Structures are given as C-alpha cells and as structure tokens.
Amino acid sequence: MCGIVGYIGSQEAVPIIFEGLRKLEYRGYDSAGIATLTNGVITTRRSEGKLVNLERLIKEQPLSGHIGIGHTRWATHGRPSETNAHPHQAGSIVVVHNGIIENYLPLREKLKKAGHTFSSETDTEVIAHLVEEHHKQRLDFEAAVRAALQELQGAFAVCILCCDEPDTLIAAKLGSPMVIGLGEAEFFVASDIPAILAHTREMVFMEDGEMVLFSGAACTFSTIAGQPLEKKARHIDWSPLMAEKGGYKHFMLKEIHEQPQAVRDTIAGRLQEEQGNVYLEDLHYDDTALQSIKRMVIVACGTSWHAALTGKFLIEEHCRIPVEVDIASEFRYRKPVIDSSTLVLVISQSGETADTLAALREAKKLGAMNMAICNVVDSSIAREASGVIYTHAGPEIGVASTKAFVTQLTALYLFTIRLGRAMGRISATQGARMIAALRKVPGLLEEALTLNSATEKIARQYMNARDFLYLGRGKNFPIALEGALKLKEISYIHAEGYPAGEMKHGPIALIDEHVPVVVLAPKNSAYEKTVSNMEEVIARGGRVIALITAGDNEVKERVESVLELPTVDEDLDPILLSVPLQLLAYHIAVLKGTDVDQPRNLAKSVTVE
C-alpha cells in the first residue's frame, strides 16, 4: 500500500527520495508528497495523482535540504486529494505514515479541545498534532515522539521531522513494514527494499515496537518505550536492475518471462533426487513434528488463495491428510477450530499482508503449528512464522502477481514432497519421480512462453467481449479462478472461474455467442470429463478458447481457438497453464489501453485490513 522514503546525509535529499518513491509505485497510490528540513525550516510539496504531478510541482517550486521524508498515499481515511496527501504538519512537526490509527477519532477530539486545528480528513494528521502537543509540554523531540507513539492504537510506520532539531530524523514501526539502509555517514528509510537498493545493500529490518533516531552521522536503535537495542544489518543480494523493466514494455510482461528462472531459483539446492526428498532450509520442523500433523489449514488472500487451493489438491492426494483453505480476511473472525495437531500454512508474496499476518497470529495464539510461504526475506510474516519456505521470485513490481504465483505453486509442490516423505505416504521412488518431473518445469515454461505471439492474436479476437468464463477441473479449477482474476484485475472485463462440472448448475445460462469460454483441457485424468463440459458450451454457441496438450487434434478441431502446451506431469499442470492465462490477460489489457502495471483501485501489498 502506501510508500515511505526518508533520507539524512550530505547529499540533496529530494532526488533520492523522489527516485525511491518511483521504485515504490508498484504498491499503488493516489497522491504523493515530500518535505525537507533546512536551517530549521520545513518545506513541503504535495499533489494528488501520479508522481509526475509532484515532479512538475517541485520543478515550479523547488525545495532542497539534506534531510527529508517522502510518501505515496493509498487512501484509507479521507478521499484522495492534495489536502489529505502526506506529509502532514502540525506546528514544528511533520510526519509521513503508513498504516491505520484505530483510535484517531478520540485522539482528534482530545487535541481539538487542547486548541489544535486539523486541515485534513486523515488519521495520520493526529500523529503530527499529538507529537506537537507533547513537544509543547517541554518534552524534547525524541521524548515527545515516544510519548505520542505510545498513545496510538493500530498499525504504523512513521518518519518524523522537527523544526527544532534540524539534524534529526526519527522513524518507528508497529505493524507496517520498514527497512533502514546504512550508507557512509548517511541513512535511508523505506517501506520496501527496492526504494533504497540503488544506494546501499546493507539494511536493517525494523521489528514491531522499535524506533530509530538518526542524528548527523549516527543512528541509535531502541524500543518505542526507550530500551536500547543492538541491530544487525543484512546484506541484500538483489541488484537495482532486478527492479527495472529490462527492455520489456511493462513490468508484468518482464515478470511473466522471468518465471522459468524464478522456478529454477526456488528449487535450487532443495532437490535430493537420490533420496526422493527435498531440503527446506528454513522449515524448522523435523520428521517427528511433521508426522504429528492431523490436518492442515492454508490461509491466504487473492492470488495466493488460488495457490492455496491448488496446494489442497496436492497435499490431500499425496499426503492423505485433510486440508482446508481459508480466505485470510475471514479466518480469525469465524472462531476457527484448530489445535496443536493442526498445521496452519499462510501464503503471502510480500510477507506484510495485514489479514494474513493477523491469521498467523491467531493460529499461534490457538496453539497451532504454523509456517509460511513468502517471497520477502525478513518480512513480518517470515519473521513471525515458526517455519518458512521462501520463494525466490525476486522483486515483483507489477500489481498483478505472476512469477510470485508460480513460485508459490512450486513451493507447495516441494512441501508436498517433504511432508509426504516424512509421513511415509510418498515413497523414495515416487519422490524421485516427482522431483524429476519438477526439474523439467523451467524448460517447459520457456516453451510455454513461445505462445506469446499466438496469445496476442487470440487477444485481438476477444478483446471487446464484456464477459469471460474460465473452466477447469481438479487442480486446474483454481487456475481457472486465477485466469479470471488476472483478466479482471488489469483489463476490467468481468470474468468468472468455475469448476467445469459446476457449469450446468447455473453458469451455463450465461453462455451464448458473445461469451468467450476459456477451457483448461490438458491430457490428464480429468480430460474426458472436461472435454464433455466443453461440448456443452459448444452446443450452446459458446466461443471456446482451449488450452490443450500439444497434438490434441480432437479438441483442436472442435473449438474456435487453441493454445498448445507441452506435456507435463499432471500435478504440475497448474504451473504451465498459468503462463498463457497471464499472457491472455496482459495482451487484452494492453489492447484496451489500461494501466497494466498499476490497475485502478489496486495495491501490490495490502498492509491494512
């Protein structure tokens, strides 16, 4: 969601902050602003809309300084506007904030009674006034910040400046992500690694309840309550180029084409083919612990939820334990029945998804075993889970998830092998076969990517349709859901995914010559049933786009359009089928002229409920 960048050092702050905000555009935003502190004077520039508007404003009304904070806002409290954009100032205090302050209304009323006047509709402005109020009570800047933050309820990552402390920047975190970059006599603050990666690879990840004070060339870590802390920096291997488009028109297309390498990186060093097993270095559960699992609950949101549904099919089939799949935003509100014999697996690309993080905490409170599948090292979910399987997809900038999704599917396949072997449900021979099939996937994904041109031609045929249906069976039903979601997200065309066998229970009423129907029909154990459902669509005049196994002339001769995929083990069909569905959504969106990388109303990382 919102993005924060802060800088203190000897360089001009504005170019560094502005470029960092550009690197955070993928998080989604509706307004932006920057404030600098020079000679005891704070200067702020804010604008509604994209960063180009802020850039234009700064060219017309320049600001400078060696200390500054910047923000891209995704509206929660208050409509998108220049007035509601960050930074927010109250007297000598200026603040940028990610998160939600749940008790902002009573705090606002208390501050109004104390004589404070508010100019925005946001919850964030309360923070600035609260710090200012404590500062007016003769507390120094640092003490005023500590006192104010301890009154806040909710989630926050904040950067704060004070006119009275011209060489000081304070940052703190509770429930929203924050990373600190260490340079040579300079420091960087950001919501996410890509914002500051061009300047440093030495980073400190803030934990909940922590604060950092930058003063000149020194930084001091502590708890918000004031207890000193020793923090260690981590070296980040990502290069800045990984977050660039690399010659592709959009980040999404680049990331679709990065999927073969992303899968290679996710399986690298983890396959033990001779033993028919996999090594998951951060799982932290041994065979005895895994054998104690009686049931699983997989919890996720959006695209990750579709990966979870596919994981349910894999784990139940091969490990023979019951698996439930929950949407994270519903999980903790339905009083889930879980205990110490339940493994709760949460899936999140960012590791900061608020609902998924809350579900993980609920599971831990109820005594469940727990683990995560996550792409971001040292993210909140990765730190709090008892075990984690990292997907090595690298930074994913496009809002519509692609390579993060296929690496989640890959991680679930790896975990299925590991769990099945520990429980004695998968033999060494079967495990070796499964591993051998997985090794072929990166090469098969490269073959699937050769469908790019064919998919673009199909996109031209159907780009003006108002509705799409996607049909799949078994493990491929969640991929039908994912294909429909991708189309909805970036082209704004209404689309629905269904189990193919469910079509006759209602959706068949929608089918006519104006509704394209995407049928996932690879040659697998559900092939004949799927083809039968496809024939029902054809009989009613539906226009079928079929994803088939190469050489399947039976289907090819019956449908309007086909995309032929190489043969793969049916457990891995979902990974391969994802590629043409992503490409179809992408090309339709491009042809319709929508903002592919930053679709309207969406954010990459949903860090509030």
Side-chain angles (χ1 to χ4, degrees):
M1 307 283 261
C2 308
I4 283 177
V5 182
Y7 175 76
I8 179 169
S10 59
Q11 301 185 64
E12 276 293 324
V14 171
I16 293 170
I17 293 169
F18 195 87
E19 186 56 33
L21 294 178
R22 282 199 188 280
K23 296 288 176 63
L24 295 178
E25 283 190 294
Y26 68 90
R27 295 171 72 90
Y29 68 104
D30 49 54
S31 60
I34 292 177
T36 58
L37 175 57
T38 307
N39 298 323
V41 177
I42 290 173
T43 309
T44 301
R45 300 285 182 265
R46 305 184 300 184
S47 66
E48 185 181 351
K50 297 296 185 182
L51 279 169
V52 65
N53 298 334
L54 180 62
E55 183 177 31
R56 189 182 304 116
L57 178 63
I58 290 173
K59 284 180 179 177
E60 294 169 356
Q61 303 174 40
L63 70 166
S64 63
H66 302 293
I67 303 175
I69 53 180
H71 191 268
T72 50
R73 176 179 186 257
W74 190 82
T76 52
H77 293 81
R79 66 191 184 282
S81 68
E82 186 275 332
T83 302
N84 288 330
H86 299 210
H88 287 286
Q89 186 167 357
S92 63
I93 305 297
V94 66
V95 175
V96 292
H97 162 235
N98 290 353
I100 291 177
I101 305 306
E102 294 173 355
N103 62 333
Y104 86 101
L105 284 175
L107 288 174
R108 189 181 178 107
E109 290 307 308
K110 181 179 81 170
L111 289 161
K112 280 182 176 179
K113 290 176 182 176
H116 290 258
T117 301
F118 288 79
S119 59
S120 79
E121 305 166 287
T122 69
D123 56 338
T124 299
E125 192 181 355
V126 164
I127 303 173
H129 285 277
L130 195 57
V131 175
E132 174 68 7
E133 178 65 20
H134 284 292
H135 193 39
K136 280 165 42 179
Q137 295 169 10
R138 299 185 181 277
L139 292 179
D140 64 33
F141 176 38
E142 179 183 351
V145 170
R146 292 189 193 280
L149 295 183
Q150 290 180 80
E151 289 192 55
L152 303 180
Q153 297 172 13
F156 58 79
V158 293
C159 281
I160 309 176
L161 299 175
C162 176
C163 295
D164 303 331
E165 299 280 349
D167 296 315
T168 302
L169 169 65
I170 294 177
K173 162 187 159 42
L174 181 70
S176 290
M178 176 171 281
V179 60
I180 307 302
L182 308 180
E184 294 291 332
E186 61 181 355
F187 302 98
F188 309 83
V189 183
S191 304
D192 206 351
I193 294 169
I196 56 177
L197 195 57
H199 302 283
T200 180
R201 294 189 185 182
E202 302 305 314
M203 303 197 187
V204 175
F205 293 87
M206 300 285 283
E207 301 282 352
D208 283 350
E210 293 183 351
M211 186 173 110
V212 58
L213 184 146
F214 306 98
S215 182
C219 72
T220 305
F221 292 93
S222 64
T223 65
I224 290 171
Q227 180 181 353
L229 294 172
E230 291 291 330
K231 300 285 289 184
K232 291 184 178 179
R234 288 180 62 100
H235 182 79
I236 303 300
D237 292 328
W238 294 358
S239 75
L241 289 176
M242 290 179 72
E244 300 298 331
K245 292 182 183 177
Y248 289 95
K249 186 176 180 181
H250 296 95
F251 282 115
M252 182 180 178
L253 186 61
K254 172 179 176 282
E255 288 155 6
I256 290 171
H257 281 81
E258 288 175 339
Q259 289 176 125
Q261 187 59 47
V263 172
R264 285 190 185 97
D265 291 342
T266 298
I267 65 178
R270 289 171 163 172
L271 305 183
Q272 302 173 324
E273 202 157 352
E274 288 185 4
Q275 294 88 3
N277 209 341
V278 299
Y279 170 66
L280 300 173
E281 61 277 17
D282 296 303
L283 184 59
H284 303 317
Y285 285 118
D286 61 15
D287 283 2
T288 301
L290 294 174
Q291 288 162 9
S292 71
I293 298 169
K294 303 302 181 189
R295 63 189 273 266
M296 278 184 64
V297 179
I298 311 180
V299 183
C301 300
T303 284
S304 297
W305 182 68
H306 297 155
L309 290 170
T310 304
K312 170 184 170 71
F313 283 97
L314 285 169
I315 294 165
E316 288 192 339
E317 178 180 339
H318 292 291
C319 303
R320 307 309 299 156
I321 61 171
V323 179
E324 299 172 27
V325 178
D326 256 297
I327 293 173
S329 57
E330 297 293 330
F331 176 75
R332 65 189 173 121
Y333 296 111
R334 66 171 183 82
K335 294 183 172 57
V337 181
I338 56 178
D339 57 24
S340 60
S341 67
T342 305
L343 174 65
V344 175
L345 166 60
V346 300
I347 307 177
S348 168
Q349 186 281 137
S350 68
E352 303 292 348
T353 311
D355 289 315
T356 308
L357 179 59
L360 172 63
R361 289 170 175 167
E362 180 71 9
K364 292 174 71 174
K365 186 173 75 173
L366 294 172
M369 300 171 66
N370 65 88
M371 59 173 285
I373 291 175
C374 182
N375 188 43
V376 180
V377 175
D378 273 355
S379 58
S380 297
I381 286 173
R383 291 196 304 270
E384 294 195 25
S386 298
V388 61
I389 303 173
Y390 284 114
T391 57
H392 298 300
E396 186 176 69
I397 307 303
V399 167
S401 181
T402 52
K403 62 178 181 173
F405 176 66
V406 299
T407 54
Q408 287 171 353
L409 294 176
T410 303
L412 285 160
Y413 187 85
L414 290 171
F415 179 69
T416 299
I417 297 172
R418 177 73 183 89
L419 180 62
R421 292 288 287 121
M423 301 185 83
R425 308 278 164 73
I426 295 176
S427 67
T429 301
Q430 183 185 0
R433 282 199 302 266
M434 294 174 74
I435 290 168
L438 181 59
R439 283 194 188 277
K440 297 176 183 176
V441 168
L444 296 174
L445 284 170
E446 288 170 347
E447 287 187 51
L449 286 166
T450 64
L451 294 171
N452 186 43
S453 296
T455 309
E456 185 176 7
K457 290 178 183 176
I458 290 173
R460 290 184 184 278
Q461 286 180 258
Y462 302 99
M463 61 175 285
N464 293 317
R466 294 182 61 185
D467 304 278
F468 271 71
L469 287 177
Y470 288 70
L471 302 178
R473 275 185 176 266
K475 300 178 188 73
N476 297 331
F477 157 54
I479 308 307
L481 292 173
E482 174 63 11
L485 176 62
K486 285 290 155 285
L487 189 68
K488 284 185 281 194
E489 282 182 314
I490 63 173
S491 74
Y492 317 143
I493 295 173
H494 172 253
E496 298 292 340
Y498 279 94
E502 186 69 9
M503 185 185 58
K504 63 178 68 69
H505 295 281
I508 201 167
L510 300 174
I511 293 171
D512 60 23
E513 68 276 12
H514 303 296
V515 179
V517 181
V518 181
V519 180
L520 311 186
K523 282 259 179 119
N524 59 22
S525 57
Y527 173 75
E528 291 182 358
K529 295 289 186 183
T530 305
V531 170
S532 175
N533 298 137
M534 182 192 74
E535 291 290 353
E536 294 169 348
V537 173
I538 294 170
R540 287 156 180 83
R543 304 172 67 190
V544 173
I545 305 165
L547 275 57
I548 62 173
T549 302
D552 183 358
N553 293 323
E554 178 185 345
V555 170
K556 191 174 183 178
E557 292 170 359
R558 296 285 298 137
V559 301
E560 193 170 290
S561 301
V562 296
L563 291 166
E564 299 186 61
L565 290 153
T567 302
V568 67
D569 186 277
E570 73 173 87
D571 281 343
L572 297 163
D573 273 336
I575 295 177
L576 220 56
L577 289 167
S578 297
V579 172
L581 297 181
Q582 294 164 355
L583 289 170
L584 181 63
Y586 170 79
H587 286 300
I588 289 176
V590 170
L591 290 166
K592 293 180 75 68
T594 63
D595 191 341
V596 172
D597 286 330
Q598 296 176 50
R600 67 189 184 201
N601 302 332
L602 295 178
K604 181 67 179 174
S605 180
V606 183
T607 56
V608 295
E609 285 191 71

